[in-house]
């Protein structure tokens, strides 16, 4: 996904959100198999970013920052995307390391949560990677790991049928188990009292568990998903 967020700072409190947008551009498509960004995916991202830049400047944004995550950091031809983006934005695009991406996920995911609800484990399932971050206080990441396990990457590895067979599900589980072994070596996940899940996989699962006909972020945000509901869904 390619996302836009335009904020106006306020000296006396939280910044004011002026614009927010998300377009699924599938930049990570094929990266796990080929190690390269697909030219069609690059063009889709560039077209969306052009629109985002125009919108941000129309809102009088003084500074535009652009960050890329798993697909760009794993691709050998990332410069084919970063060069045009550099020209569009007028600034150097930043490729986030897995660890930095994890820290930012924790900063956003655990923000404003009561300290007494901690320790916290934030999980961010993306298209190409998944981040797990542990911290005892909101905004203070103590342990973080990023593993190459995401919804797009995993689908391309397993290539399941629709609906997936028992063999497909077993293959998914094996991939996840291997990744979780590394997570538990790095992050004290079992010490957390509250699991905070962010990003589309988790929010879609909760929307299905709530029986929503149409996705409603106000109903999903800060809601609780029980293990029973997750397994039933």
């Amino acid at each position: 996904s390619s996302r836009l967020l335009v904020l106006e700072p306020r000296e006396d409190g939280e910044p004011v959100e002026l614009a927010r947008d998300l377009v699924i551009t599938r930049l990570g498509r094929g990266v796990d198999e080929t190690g390269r960004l697909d030219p069609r995916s690059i063009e889709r991202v560039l077209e969306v970013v052009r629109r985002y830049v125009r919108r941000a400047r129309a809102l009088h944004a003084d500074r535009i920052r652009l960050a890329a995550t798993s697909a760009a950091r794993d691709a050998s031809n990332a410069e084919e995307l970063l060069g045009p983006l550099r020209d569009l934005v007028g600034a150097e695009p930043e490729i986030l390391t897995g660890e930095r991406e994890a820290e930012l996920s924790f900063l956003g995911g655990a923000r404003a949560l009561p300290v007494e609800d901690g320790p916290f484990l934030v999980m961010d399932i993306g298209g190409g990677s998944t981040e797990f971050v542990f911290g005892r206080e909101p905004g203070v990441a103590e342990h973080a790991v990023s593993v190459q396990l995401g919804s797009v990457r995993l689908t391309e590895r397993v290539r399941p049928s629709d609906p997936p067979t028992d063999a497909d599900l077993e293959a998914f589980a094996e991939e996840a188990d291997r990744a979780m072994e590394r997570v538990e070596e790095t992050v004290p996940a079992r010490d957390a009292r509250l699991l905070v899940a962010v990003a589309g996989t988790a929010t879609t699962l909760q929307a299905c568990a709530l029986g929503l006909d149409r996705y409603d972020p106000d109903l999903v945000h800060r809601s609780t998903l029980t293990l029973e509901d997750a397994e039933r869904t």
Side-chain angles (χ1 to χ4, degrees):
S1 300
S2 297
R3 299 171 177 268
L4 168 73
L5 178 63
V6 182
L7 297 173
E8 183 175 8
R10 289 284 189 267
E11 294 182 0
D12 56 349
E14 294 293 311
V16 176
E17 182 179 307
L18 301 182
R20 179 189 293 266
D21 202 353
L22 179 151
V23 177
I24 298 175
T25 46
R26 297 183 62 80
L27 182 62
R29 182 177 186 178
V31 171
D32 188 66
E33 181 179 359
T34 67
R36 296 177 60 83
L37 298 175
D38 182 83
R40 292 167 297 180
S41 299
I42 291 175
E43 188 51 46
R44 282 196 299 269
V45 172
L46 293 176
E47 180 56 37
V48 169
V49 173
R50 287 188 191 99
R51 188 164 71 245
Y52 284 172
V53 169
R54 289 196 297 268
R55 189 173 178 189
R57 287 176 175 157
L59 291 168
H60 307 291
D62 292 328
R63 182 174 57 150
I64 298 177
R65 295 185 62 180
L66 192 147
T69 56
S70 174
R73 66 174 173 255
D74 291 344
S76 61
N77 63 332
E79 186 58 31
E80 294 178 20
L81 171 69
L82 299 180
L85 286 177
R86 195 177 292 117
D87 295 336
L88 279 175
V89 178
E92 186 66 32
E94 178 183 4
I95 297 183
L96 301 177
T97 65
E99 289 71 22
R100 180 56 176 160
E101 184 180 357
E103 291 172 357
L104 293 173
S105 294
F106 189 83
L107 180 63
R111 187 170 178 269
L113 292 176
V115 175
E116 57 269 21
D117 287 351
F120 307 96
L121 178 68
V122 172
M123 175 180 68
D124 181 356
I125 301 175
S129 67
T130 296
E131 286 69 49
F132 293 86
V133 200
F134 175 88
R136 291 176 175 80
E137 298 180 14
V140 184
E142 298 177 29
H143 303 275
V145 64
S146 178
V147 293
Q148 287 195 324
L149 190 73
S151 56
V152 175
R153 191 187 298 271
L154 194 56
T155 301
E156 291 182 349
R157 285 181 185 175
V158 175
R159 298 189 181 279
S161 58
D162 185 13
T165 64
D166 290 342
D168 293 333
L169 296 177
E170 184 176 342
F172 282 133
E174 289 175 355
E175 292 280 353
D177 287 344
R178 281 194 288 270
M180 291 307 298
E181 288 177 3
R182 183 186 169 203
V183 171
E184 293 204 290
E185 291 172 355
T186 310
V187 174
R190 297 181 187 275
D191 293 342
R193 292 184 58 207
L194 183 65
L195 170 65
V196 181
V198 302
T201 298
T203 56
T204 300
L205 179 62
Q206 177 65 321
C208 292
L210 293 173
L212 301 182
D213 294 329
R214 178 177 297 179
Y215 181 74
D216 186 336
D218 292 332
L219 294 177
V220 172
H221 184 54
R222 292 287 179 89
S223 61
T224 299
L225 176 65
T226 66
L227 179 59
E228 179 182 2
D229 285 342
E231 291 178 336
R232 172 181 54 80
T233 304

